[in-house]
Amino acid sequence: MPEFTTSLTTTIERACQASIAHPFISQLSSGELPLATFRYYLIQDHHYLTAFNRLHQLVAQQLPEPDATTLSHLGEGEDLARQKMHREIGLSQDELLTTPTAPTAYAYISHMYYQLNQYGTATATAGLLPCYWLYSLVAQQLAGQQSPVPLYQEFFDGYATTDFTTSTKEMTAIVNRQAAAASSTTRQQMRTAFNISCYYEKQFWQMSLTKQGWK
Ligand SMILES: Cc1ncc(CO)c(N)n1
């Protein structure tokens, strides 16, 4: 039987094409994206990544070894790179902590918790996978280009590293091991969780471009 994640390839490739065509990504790549827009993204993505890490720790508690340790480490992956970017763009800890989470980021974060609470461990892992797979694919597609804005290039470079590729492979393997042990009903729920995360990944670019707020 083919690996479970093979059946998700079309969905992620579509999300990748939509992301590359989205003005948030094309303007990051061309250097035209206003710095204030990227700053907004970094704040919202900080909220996202904080929850993402917490989800990894919660899910890890329910996985067998060695996957538990792997997932726990994966959750901490992006912290250092982001702290550097926050310094470069002048984002204080206070601003990061006090800026409200915008509706789309809020919905995406809520979705990840809901999948864990409602459907359990296997489904939760599937909901986390697009985060790795999509950013990895987008970075690979744009690898030949150089953004004229060093901070934007730094953003793409972070996801084109072998470290991030390895993280994506590790996460994919965890999802496949969960799927292999799951019922066909759970596998269908995993697919749904993955699809919804792909939906929110695309909406995340739009939220950032329009600097969505609670109005
Ligand atoms: C919204 C979002 N998805 C995926 C990643 C990559 O982990 C990220 N930093 N932010």
Side-chain angles (χ1 to χ4, degrees):
M1 206 166 70
E3 298 258 63
F4 171 73
T5 52
T6 307
S7 70
L8 309 172
T9 309
T10 310
T11 307
I12 202 74
E13 281 176 353
R14 284 209 186 109
C16 176
Q17 290 319 315
S19 298
I20 284 168
H22 196 279
F24 184 86
I25 293 296
S26 60
Q27 291 175 23
L28 261 182
S29 181
S30 70
E32 287 163 304
L33 191 78
L35 209 53
T37 307
F38 190 59
R39 201 170 191 281
Y40 172 100
Y41 167 84
L42 285 179
I43 296 172
Q44 293 307 321
D45 210 39
H46 178 73
H47 291 315
Y48 172 82
L49 287 172
T50 303
F52 187 64
N53 184 5
R54 206 170 126 65
L55 257 302
H56 277 66
Q57 305 316 320
L58 288 171
V59 174
Q61 287 169 16
Q62 302 177 23
L63 288 181
E65 292 295 354
D67 287 352
T69 301
T70 304
L71 196 73
S72 175
H73 287 152
L74 282 175
E76 295 152 6
E78 287 177 54
D79 280 6
L80 280 177
R82 283 305 170 92
Q83 281 166 23
K84 182 164 175 279
M85 294 176 102
H86 295 159
R87 277 197 302 278
E88 283 165 358
I89 207 166
L91 258 176
S92 70
Q93 199 58 22
D94 190 57
E95 189 174 351
L96 286 171
L97 293 176
T98 58
T99 306
T101 304
T104 296
Y106 198 96
Y108 192 1
I109 289 167
S110 302
H111 154 66
M112 294 188 295
Y113 280 107
Y114 179 73
Q115 293 299 325
L116 177 61
N117 291 325
Q118 195 74 8
Y119 301 107
T121 314
T123 306
T125 62
L128 297 173
L129 181 59
C131 323
Y132 292 92
W133 202 352
L134 179 69
Y135 275 49
S136 192
L137 279 181
V138 168
Q140 278 166 30
Q141 288 266 321
L142 297 176
Q145 295 171 38
Q146 185 81 17
S147 176
V149 178
L151 186 63
Y152 298 172
Q153 190 53 42
E154 192 179 327
F155 172 77
F156 288 124
D157 286 347
Y159 297 107
T161 58
T162 48
D163 267 9
F164 196 73
T165 310
T166 303
S167 299
T168 304
K169 285 194 184 132
E170 286 173 341
M171 192 66 206
T172 304
I174 289 174
V175 172
N176 279 326
R177 278 192 283 278
Q178 289 293 306
S183 67
S184 67
T185 302
T186 300
R187 272 200 297 278
Q188 192 50 47
Q189 289 165 344
M190 291 173 78
R191 212 166 274 124
T192 303
F194 183 88
N195 290 345
I196 297 173
S197 293
C198 286
Y199 169 87
Y200 280 126
E201 284 293 342
K202 290 179 275 181
Q203 295 299 315
F204 212 91
W205 307 132
Q206 187 62 16
M207 169 195 76
S208 303
L209 191 73
T210 59
K211 301 211 209 78
Q212 182 192 48
W214 292 99
K215 51 180 177 324

